[in-house]
Every structure is written in C-alpha cells, then in structure tokens.
Amino acid sequence: MSLASSHSPHGRSPLRTVQVLGGGSAGSSAHVRTLASGLVARGVRVTVCAPLEAERIYDFSGVGGLHVPVPRSTDPAALAALRIACGEADLVHAHGLHAGLRAALALSGRPTPLVVTWHTRAYVEGARAALVHLLERRVARAASVVLGTSSDLVDRARRRGARDARLAAVALPAPRTPAEHDDDPERLHSKTRAELGATDRPLLIAVGSLDRHRGYDVLLDASRAWRRLDPAPLVVIAGEGPLRTVLQRRIEDEALPVRLIGRREDARELLPAADLALLPSSWESRSVLAQEALHARVPLVATDVGGIRELVGDAAELVRYGDAKALATAVVRLLEDPERRRLLREKGTAQAATWPTEDETVAQVLSVYDELTQVLPYV
C-alpha cells in the first residue's frame, strides 16, 4: 500500500494533484519540493511536471512525488505531455507565470481547478512589457485562485483580473544537505573568508543572477566610496548571467573592490561568514537572500522595493533603489557601528521567527486545495 493511500481518511481515494514547474527559480523549485514532501505525508498524491534538470537538483521523486519530465515550452508536444499528466488530476497547481499559461492551455475545456502561485514578476521593458501584461491577465483570469508571495503580487493579480487572489507566504526551506561539519563556527568562517580573499578586511556578500534588475550597476557605483575605508571592504557577488562581462570590465577598469565568483551551490554556507549582506535589486518579492541573511544573523542592506519591507520589517537597513550614495552611506555607517549591527542581528532573529514554517506553508496550500475540491481536510 502506498504512503498516500495509507493516509487517506475514511477509505476515500486520495486527492490527486499535479504541480507544474517551468524553468523554475531556486525559490519556486524549492517550494515545489516542500509541497511535494508535505502533501505526500498528508496522503495526497503528487505529480511534478518539471524539466529533467529540476528533478536532478531538487529530487521531487525522493520525497514521494511522481516526476514527469516536461520541458519549459509551449510547443504542441510539451503541451500534449502536460495535458496527459493532468488528465486524472483533481487539481493542478502551477508555479510562475509561464507554468501558469502552460497549465491553463493544457486544462482548456476541463473543469479541473487551477491554482497559480506568483513567486515573482517578469523584468521586461518596452514592447515585451505589453506582452507580459497580456500574459499575466490570461493566467490571472484562468486561475481558480492566484497565490501571491507578497502583497504587491496579490494586488497585481487582482489588477489583472484574478477572481480570487490571496497572500500565501512561501517558507524558506531548510538546507537539504548539511553544511560542512566544524565544531568551531569561527574557524569555518575564517576558512570561508580566506577562500574569498577577505581575511583582513570586511566582507560584503550579494547573491543573485547577473541581470539588470538586480541593481549590480548601482552596487558597483556605491563600491567606489568604500575604497577610501581602511581596510577597504571586499564585495563578493555569487551568481551568473548576461551582465557578467560588462560588470567584470567595470571592476577591472575602475579598480573596484568587487569579486564575481560565479554561481555557487554553497552560497547559503558562504553567507554566515559575511559582515553584511547586500540586496540592491529594483524589485523583489519574498527574497531568499533576505531570509537567509536574517536567519544567519548577518545584517542586511536592501532596497526598499516590492515585498522587502513586508518581509524584513525594521530588521534591515532599507535604501531607495538606484541611489548609489544612499547604499554606500548605509554600508559605511553599519561597518563603523558595531552596536547597530548587533541590534540588526537581534531584530533579524525576531523577524525570522514570525515567518511561516514549511509545515504551515503546506497546511495553508492544502486548505486552498480542500476548498476548491470540496473534500474534507487532510491535515
């Protein structure tokens, strides 16, 4: 007997759900893994339609889900595979805008409820922005319920015509593999700092793809002001993306105290060694970096955009996006004020304690499923 059927109450057939994931950001992919694990434990059957690469990294099968390889595409073959996978589902849950569109197309003509979680929004300008607007409207109107990970995403879904849009905060998953074991955290931090080249200087860490919306151009502008400090802090940016060459050229031409270290699977383990975490983005929803920084008791300097203030409260230094001078000033002030850094660590711990756990996240999502499928709760 399967785990799902053994947990089904009253002998009833278990709820059958399909989770649809596109290319999948780290946050949305980890969230699907959390849901798969928690739902299966509650007697729900879970099929995860995702690219093979996502299964390789997040191992949905390892937590009891059935993985069906479906590429991130709207071509007829991919849609046909998705339609087959959703054929016997009681409910389909898509994660992200493109996954939502593909799920809506695959369910066309069927009464199956569709839940779509908006984890973030598209970063486009010009003609593409108009196309994204139409796409958002199509997905919002097709969904039975849109779940937004921040209040501004919920408002955005409502503006696009969602009949039911709700806030559904996504929990930060616990690390899947333990960090390097060391009985002395300070020793481990020292080792990390030595590897990054910051043994005798402050270490500032930013994590995220090297895309325009991340605000790294502003971060490089701000780093000019830190060269006057003695010792000058080192900025380390973990991530890859289309702006790598442009950013690297600026770093070299202007002799900026910045290192690009590429995509790092261990970025979460690097963060505790930092003196400050930096988040200069033009927009963020429920930033993984912000959550990890507060959990790791690393003071955070972030732009006051999107869902950041809602997420961190007063447990971070918030500055206006695009204001390099304000960013530089906030960093210098924190580096020179150990008491303020201590206070932010304490506030960060308290703020993180208010965030939902993975179990609470699963329970909230399942309550939406129960509502839409009109079955008794599985919790």
Side-chain angles (χ1 to χ4, degrees):
M1 181 179 290
S2 71
L3 177 63
S5 61
S6 67
H7 281 238
S8 299
H10 313 300
R12 189 178 62 237
S13 298
L15 184 69
R16 299 163 300 182
T17 69
V18 173
Q19 307 288 323
V20 182
L21 190 65
S25 65
S28 59
S29 298
H31 178 56
V32 170
R33 189 178 196 276
T34 291
L35 290 182
S37 177
L39 291 171
V40 167
R42 288 165 170 81
V44 177
R45 288 184 180 172
V46 178
T47 297
V48 180
C49 295
L52 283 169
E53 179 69 6
E55 166 65 11
R56 183 187 69 79
I57 297 173
Y58 292 95
D59 190 22
F60 308 115
S61 301
V63 294
L66 171 65
H67 174 246
V68 175
V70 178
R72 185 183 186 274
S73 171
T74 53
D75 65 41
L79 286 178
L82 187 57
R83 187 171 177 84
I84 292 171
C86 296
E88 296 185 354
D90 298 307
L91 179 142
V92 174
H93 188 166
H95 299 266
L97 194 59
H98 289 282
L101 175 64
R102 291 161 53 232
L105 292 173
L107 292 175
S108 180
R110 293 176 176 173
T112 310
L114 172 63
V115 177
V116 180
T117 294
W118 287 13
H119 294 266
T120 185
R121 66 174 178 81
Y123 304 94
V124 293
E125 300 174 348
R128 289 192 63 199
L131 180 61
V132 168
H133 181 106
L134 292 174
L135 179 58
E136 289 177 339
R137 187 169 65 181
R138 171 73 173 84
V139 172
R141 294 181 175 182
S144 306
V145 174
V146 175
L147 301 177
T149 59
S150 62
S151 294
D152 60 324
L153 283 177
V154 174
D155 292 340
R156 189 181 186 91
R158 288 172 179 159
R159 291 195 301 272
R160 298 296 186 262
R163 57 189 125 159
D164 189 342
R166 312 178 191 181
L167 181 65
V170 172
L172 178 68
R176 287 180 47 206
T177 55
E180 178 180 345
H181 178 72
D182 197 313
D183 292 333
D184 183 359
E186 288 302 320
R187 180 169 173 269
L188 182 56
H189 293 175
S190 296
K191 179 180 177 182
T192 300
R193 294 173 73 94
E195 177 204 338
L196 296 176
T199 54
D200 56 355
R201 60 199 296 195
L203 175 62
L204 318 180
I205 289 185
V207 180
S209 57
L210 305 183
D211 295 303
R212 187 174 303 280
H213 74 272
R214 295 289 183 182
Y216 291 138
D217 54 338
V218 180
L219 178 55
L220 295 193
D221 291 342
S223 72
R224 293 195 194 112
W226 305 331
R227 291 180 298 188
R228 65 177 175 80
L229 300 180
D230 186 19
L234 174 66
V235 181
V236 170
I237 302 175
E240 276 296 350
L243 294 184
R244 168 113 194 192
T245 301
V246 173
L247 295 174
Q248 186 63 49
R249 184 180 302 119
R250 275 198 62 189
I251 292 167
E252 295 171 0
D253 291 348
E254 301 172 36
L256 301 175
V258 180
R259 279 191 63 196
L260 305 180
I261 62 172
R263 183 179 290 108
R264 293 285 294 255
E265 297 296 333
D266 63 344
R268 195 170 192 173
E269 283 70 53
L270 300 180
L271 191 58
D275 294 284
L276 301 177
L278 306 178
L279 186 65
S281 307
S282 64
W283 189 88
E284 292 280 350
S285 176
R286 196 169 181 85
S287 164
V288 172
L289 175 64
Q291 294 177 78
E292 291 179 341
L294 269 59
H295 272 297
R297 293 175 59 83
V298 177
L300 172 69
V301 180
T303 43
D304 190 3
V305 296
I308 292 298
R309 184 178 291 273
E310 180 179 39
L311 178 66
V312 304
D314 64 352
E317 292 286 350
L318 300 183
V319 299
R320 185 175 58 188
Y321 168 70
D323 191 335
K325 182 178 179 180
L327 177 59
T329 299
V331 166
V332 171
R333 185 168 58 240
L334 275 180
L335 291 177
E336 294 177 346
D337 189 348
E339 179 58 26
R340 175 63 179 165
R341 296 200 303 275
R342 184 198 66 78
L343 180 61
L344 285 180
R345 292 188 189 100
E346 297 302 320
K347 287 186 173 183
T349 298
Q351 182 70 13
T354 69
W355 297 335
T357 63
E358 288 185 90
D359 192 63
E360 289 167 340
T361 295
V362 173
Q364 182 189 19
V365 168
L366 187 53
S367 72
V368 175
Y369 293 0
D370 290 336
E371 178 184 333
L372 293 176
T373 56
Q374 298 182 345
V375 299
L376 293 173
Y378 283 74
V379 293

